[in-house]
Amino acid sequence: MEANQAIGAQGHTVAPFWPRQRWWLALLVILLLAGALRFPGYDFGLPFIEHEGYRADEIYYTLGARWIIDTGTAKPLHLHNYPPGILALNYLALRWFPGSVEPPAAVIGGMRLLSISVSLATVVAVAFLGRQAGGPLAGLISAGIWAITPVMVEFSRYASADIYVTGFTILALWLALAGTVHQRWGLTTAGTYALMLAITFKYTAMAITPLVLFIPLIRGRVSGRRVLGNCGRLALFLAWLFLLTPALDAIRNEEHQISNAWVQTVEAIALPGLPVIRDVLQETQNSLDLRLFIPGWLGLIIPFFLRSRAEQCWVILICVVTIGLWLVPMALFNTPYIRFMLPAVSLMIVLPGVGYAFWWQFLQQRFAFFSLPLQRAMGAAALLALLALNLPLLQASVTDLRDRMRPDQRNDLAIWADETLPSGRYITDYDNHRTLNREWGGYAGETRFHYAGNVFSEPSLEQWREQGVHLAIVDHFLYHLWREDGDHPFTTQTTLLKSYPPSHAHRGPAMVVLRLYPIQHPASGQLGPIRLLGYDMTKENVGPGEALPFHLYWQAAAATQGDYQVFNHLLDAEGSLVAQADGPPLPDPLLRRGTKDWHDPDEIIFSREFLLQLPEDLAPGEYSLVTGFYHRLSGLRLLSPAGEDTLWVTHITVE
């Protein structure tokens, strides 16, 4: 046991407040491991913001802060009655970095780094809490298990409130316990302040208020005045939080929100039924394989048979009660989601670490008749065998890390669309409804796309066209199922521009990009690696002085050496040039994607709109529209296999 021991309430020895230097070195190794599992994958998906159901609401908080800056309220996002902690952090980030927050989601990378830093600080808090419950070894084991548990690794990377409330809750509980055990009453006050911070991130933290405030009463009347002071501090804080801030604005102002608040209050009065409790336990089991922790939990029984462990027994009991108190709001309000239960899950992880430490001490006593080195070796071997049960946690976290480090196909889609397609409206499914959204998805491109609706909603293909929708992003597997049907309009009456097939090297869904119109007129011919597929033209009979708009479709077997421009010439019967429309092939005004970047042989390139202006004095007759490519610098043209430098497109009749 560590030196400089203190005396507990019943006269039992208590570990010193500060651990030895080698304990800190071991904790540093655990922190390095925790950082290695978290920091490399912090920017997963960015600039696209993943929305994994209820698991992360990162963009809501960022946009809420943006609304507060722009309009003074986050009411349009229904965040005006949300705990202010995470909104305040996003607000400060948007205020401090005004030059790099277009779109607002640009700050999420930095917010994720801050969340990971809070997660590492929580590792330290877990270590101290485990040490308080079972000694130095218990603290290290608890911190190690917490650091590698997949659900903790995952949520530490989200720029959301969950990891903050977890860290402050663990800190508040440890400060209250440590202050009581060591009779350092200032720590209990610090624990009250940590509880206040937890409440600013999640109101459910108020569930553990009785424990944090009244733990010092275990020491008797000597701590009563301190408890009363902490109660007063918390009461003033809650008065400020709920009365002097717009936290209850929803209940005061909007009738439908008053109704919702009343329904929630009525539901909260009733005791949770067995189905709700079952859902809470099932959600915990789905995110945290509880079977791995059974040996550690069994070890918690050991100190209850040893009279010298009275202090540790009531610390363990307080942790168990805290778990129960935290899960009560989850059951009352029927929100059995793992993100809301992270503080309780953290304590579920702390307790097995404590149990493993007690097993190690128990086994050492059983080996007492062996020599001291052999005792330690056999105890260490047994402890390592128990800890090996947690290797699946580390493997799962490493697998998740590798997944987070893969590039996201939705970013590839956003870059391609930004540099290749004209602005317009699009339809898609849930996986991609925010991919091209500047605010909600983090898209930062120059080309503007507007989400028109879900591809599976009622409007037919023709109705989508009437609404001005030209683009669809569809699930790759579903599209190919439609193709097997043979007559689905999304395969027979559209043009497949780009395909993103399933890939083990990428994150995100497999998908295809469709133009909601087929190629109007087929054409053929090849210049260099580029093949002409067809063209769209509304009319081929025109009058002198008219402007003739048209689009071309190409497919490139390989990229060109250098960038080539397009020329479109209208020739008379003698081959003389009478009109032309030259320029870059794509609608991107910044010329970011030239022909040297046409790498995908399966992609169909839909050109920008070319406008052929006919002369006012152009004689009636038949004319030929030809096209080709010329190098931007040298003027050299791409040649066909036959050595020609133009491709015939169509006849134009001037009336």
Side-chain angles (χ1 to χ4, degrees), residues 499-547:
S499 178
Y500 293 89
S503 171
H504 293 295
H506 290 80
R507 292 172 56 82
M511 52 203 164
V512 298
V513 183
L514 306 175
R515 174 169 162 74
L516 295 188
Y517 294 87
I519 299 176
Q520 286 185 0
H521 307 283
S524 61
Q526 184 164 339
L527 296 172
I530 302 175
R531 185 162 58 96
L532 179 65
L533 299 181
Y535 63 95
D536 288 352
M537 187 178 292
T538 55
K539 56 182 180 179
E540 296 183 354
N541 296 337
V542 294
E546 289 189 27

Side-chain angles (χ1 to χ4, degrees), residues 479-637:
Y479 175 78
H480 285 279
L481 284 176
W482 288 343
R483 290 188 63 176
E484 293 176 4
D485 291 342
D487 59 351
H488 197 283
F490 272 86
T491 61
T492 59
Q493 301 176 33
T494 62
T495 302
L496 175 59
L497 298 181
K498 181 75 171 178
S499 178
Y500 293 89
S503 171
H504 293 295
H506 290 80
R507 292 172 56 82
M511 52 203 164
V512 298
V513 183
L514 306 175
R515 174 169 162 74
L516 295 188
Y517 294 87
I519 299 176
Q520 286 185 0
H521 307 283
S524 61
Q526 184 164 339
L527 296 172
I530 302 175
R531 185 162 58 96
L532 179 65
L533 299 181
Y535 63 95
D536 288 352
M537 187 178 292
T538 55
K539 56 182 180 179
E540 296 183 354
N541 296 337
V542 294
E546 289 189 27
L548 180 64
F550 63 94
H551 296 268
L552 299 173
Y553 293 85
W554 299 294
Q555 201 166 35
T560 59
Q561 297 295 322
D563 280 334
Y564 283 76
Q565 301 278 73
V566 179
F567 65 85
N568 299 288
H569 291 172
L570 189 65
L571 308 178
D572 61 15
E574 287 74 32
S576 299
L577 178 67
V578 297
Q580 68 184 83
D582 300 351
L586 297 178
D588 175 24
L590 302 179
L591 306 179
R592 290 169 294 175
R593 190 184 182 212
T595 57
K596 64 180 177 60
D597 296 316
W598 295 6
H599 300 290
D600 184 358
D602 297 321
E603 175 189 357
I604 294 179
I605 306 291
F606 178 66
S607 80
R608 70 181 180 91
E609 182 182 70
F610 293 105
L611 197 63
L612 195 65
Q613 181 65 52
L614 304 184
E616 295 284 351
D617 57 352
L618 186 62
E622 292 287 330
Y623 293 84
S624 295
L625 177 63
V626 299
T627 188
F629 289 85
Y630 65 95
H631 195 277
R632 293 180 60 186
L633 299 178
S634 66
L636 296 177
R637 296 183 176 184

Side-chain angles (χ1 to χ4, degrees), residues 417-428:
D418 180 44
E419 298 177 349
T420 308
L421 300 176
S423 299
R425 307 182 73 202
Y426 70 100
I427 56 176
T428 186

Side-chain angles (χ1 to χ4, degrees), residues 305-567:
F305 295 98
L306 303 175
R307 297 185 61 184
S308 61
R309 305 286 178 157
E311 296 283 358
Q312 295 172 328
C313 289
W314 63 258
V315 171
I316 293 171
L317 288 175
I318 287 174
C319 291
V320 173
V321 172
T322 304
I323 295 173
L325 288 177
W326 193 274
L327 295 181
V328 166
M330 307 299 102
L332 287 176
F333 292 96
N334 196 16
T335 54
Y337 303 138
I338 193 65
R339 60 177 293 188
F340 301 138
M341 298 187 287
L342 289 186
V345 171
S346 295
L347 292 175
M348 293 180 188
I349 296 171
V350 169
L351 292 178
V354 175
Y356 287 134
F358 286 136
W359 274 121
W360 181 74
Q361 297 170 11
F362 175 77
L363 292 173
Q364 275 194 317
Q365 294 175 3
R366 300 285 79 78
F367 302 142
F369 53 87
F370 294 104
S371 63
L372 183 59
L374 188 57
Q375 287 180 35
R376 293 178 176 176
M378 296 178 69
L383 179 62
L384 289 175
L386 289 172
L387 293 178
L389 297 174
N390 296 284
L391 285 179
L393 298 176
L394 180 60
Q395 290 177 320
S397 293
V398 171
T399 300
D400 178 72
L401 173 62
R402 291 172 178 170
D403 176 67
R404 303 279 172 172
M405 295 178 67
R406 292 185 298 165
D408 198 303
Q409 290 204 119
R410 285 165 291 200
N411 287 325
D412 297 339
L413 168 63
I415 295 172
W416 173 84
D418 180 44
E419 298 177 349
T420 308
L421 300 176
S423 299
R425 307 182 73 202
Y426 70 100
I427 56 176
T428 186
D429 52 21
Y430 178 81
D431 284 335
N432 277 294
H433 74 292
R434 291 172 175 172
T435 300
L436 302 180
N437 188 295
R438 188 171 299 276
E439 286 78 25
W440 287 99
Y443 169 72
E446 298 293 331
T447 308
R448 299 286 176 152
F449 299 96
H450 302 281
Y451 177 62
N454 194 302
V455 71
F456 302 113
S457 57
E458 289 298 325
S460 64
L461 184 59
E462 188 58 39
Q463 289 172 321
W464 284 126
R465 292 169 180 167
E466 292 174 357
Q467 296 178 30
V469 178
H470 295 269
L471 191 67
I473 306 172
V474 179
D475 178 80
H476 182 276
F477 300 100
L478 181 61
Y479 175 78
H480 285 279
L481 284 176
W482 288 343
R483 290 188 63 176
E484 293 176 4
D485 291 342
D487 59 351
H488 197 283
F490 272 86
T491 61
T492 59
Q493 301 176 33
T494 62
T495 302
L496 175 59
L497 298 181
K498 181 75 171 178
S499 178
Y500 293 89
S503 171
H504 293 295
H506 290 80
R507 292 172 56 82
M511 52 203 164
V512 298
V513 183
L514 306 175
R515 174 169 162 74
L516 295 188
Y517 294 87
I519 299 176
Q520 286 185 0
H521 307 283
S524 61
Q526 184 164 339
L527 296 172
I530 302 175
R531 185 162 58 96
L532 179 65
L533 299 181
Y535 63 95
D536 288 352
M537 187 178 292
T538 55
K539 56 182 180 179
E540 296 183 354
N541 296 337
V542 294
E546 289 189 27
L548 180 64
F550 63 94
H551 296 268
L552 299 173
Y553 293 85
W554 299 294
Q555 201 166 35
T560 59
Q561 297 295 322
D563 280 334
Y564 283 76
Q565 301 278 73
V566 179
F567 65 85

Side-chain angles (χ1 to χ4, degrees), residues 221-230:
R221 299 177 63 180
V222 67
S223 58
R225 182 176 298 178
R226 179 67 63 166
V227 170
L228 288 176
N230 290 339

